[in-house]
Amino acid sequence: MTAQRLPGSTAARHGSGDADLTIMTAAHYALRRDLLALALSADGAGQHSPDKQRSVAAGWELLKRQLHLHHAAEDDLIWPALRERLGHSATALSVLDDMEAEHQRIDPLLAAVDAGFASAAGPAGRQADAGRLAGAVDALAAALAGHLAHEERDGLPLIGVALTAAEWRRVGFKIARRNGLSAGGEMFSWLLSSVAPGQVRAVTEQLPPPARVLYKAVWKPRFEKTSRW
């Protein structure tokens, strides 16, 4: 497969309100970053050394975990809050229906990439197996990149329309409680693993002071012990 710059990676629109979507847009950036890493890693996967295979597997498993957390937070907490507030708008409800449907279409594409990696890791290392993985990665990249662009264009602005900054922060607290400290630490370390210092500050400023200390002293060092991609 040809690794290329994924579409839709321009900055997200934040809608008309004052809800701060820094963490949401940082998650989208990280998902695109890992999609590109996945595309690069899929090239010649059957010929990777054992160490490289373990590194790619660690990156892929992390991407799947973060995508699951992101989509579950949207489906279970964010979209329902918007539906409650925007139930009078057929257009808004249609957008939210699209968001949920796109999530459902992505799940089997993840399974197809899993199957592609399993085939590419086989002893034969046949061209057909490499092609299966490349096709699966292409399909996932196209679907997920398209979904992220659609969400940024039509979905995220609904947050600014429907929720105040305080209401949006309360949604964030619910997500944090649901994820727990360990998963939350991994998520923030993943978000910030390859961004500029200014972007790190923008995201960590969203955290309470104790969590900022944990990020620097515990979460980030622990995350960096594992080689990925």
Side-chain angles (χ1 to χ4, degrees):
M1 108 176 255
T2 301
Q4 57 186 344
R5 188 173 184 273
L6 297 167
S9 59
T10 54
R13 293 163 50 197
H14 289 192
S16 60
D18 57 356
D20 189 333
L21 304 188
T22 297
I23 293 174
M24 285 287 285
T25 55
H28 282 201
Y29 172 86
L31 289 169
R32 289 188 174 98
R33 177 199 66 210
D34 281 11
L35 276 177
L36 184 56
L38 173 64
L40 292 169
S41 298
D43 286 332
Q47 286 74 49
H48 289 332
S49 69
D51 284 348
K52 178 64 173 178
Q53 288 178 9
R54 285 190 289 271
S55 178
V56 170
W60 171 234
E61 291 301 319
L62 178 62
L63 171 56
K64 288 190 295 181
R65 281 197 302 277
Q66 296 308 320
L67 185 61
H68 171 73
L69 287 177
H70 187 73
H71 284 178
E74 290 176 337
D75 290 340
D76 298 343
L77 295 171
I78 299 174
W79 303 152
L82 298 184
R83 285 184 182 279
E84 181 178 356
R85 191 63 57 85
L86 299 173
H88 61 282
S89 170
T91 299
L93 294 179
S94 177
V95 168
L96 296 173
D97 287 343
D98 287 345
M99 296 296 102
E100 293 176 358
E102 289 169 13
H103 286 180
Q104 293 297 316
R105 288 195 287 270
I106 287 168
D107 288 342
L109 300 178
L110 299 172
V113 174
D114 277 330
F117 272 121
S119 295
R126 297 189 305 272
Q127 183 65 34
D129 294 330
R132 178 181 182 182
L133 175 60
V137 170
D138 275 341
L140 173 63
L144 183 52
H147 167 67
L148 294 175
H150 185 191
E151 184 174 301
E152 289 166 357
R153 184 182 67 247
D154 297 328
L156 296 190
L158 296 179
I159 296 172
V161 170
L163 303 178
T164 66
E167 289 170 332
W168 176 240
R169 283 195 296 271
R170 285 196 289 273
V171 172
F173 293 149
K174 289 180 182 179
I175 294 171
R177 286 195 297 270
R178 172 185 170 133
N179 289 347
L181 200 59
S182 178
E186 182 181 61
M187 184 194 76
F188 280 103
S189 300
W190 168 75
L191 285 180
L192 300 173
S193 60
S194 64
V195 301
Q199 293 171 303
V200 172
R201 286 192 296 274
V203 172
T204 55
E205 284 173 357
Q206 306 293 311
L207 301 174
R212 295 177 208 169
V213 173
L214 280 173
Y215 167 71
K216 292 181 180 179
V218 179
W219 298 342
K220 184 174 182 284
R222 182 171 58 198
F223 183 85
E224 291 176 345
K225 289 180 179 178
T226 300
S227 174
R228 298 176 181 86
W229 302 118

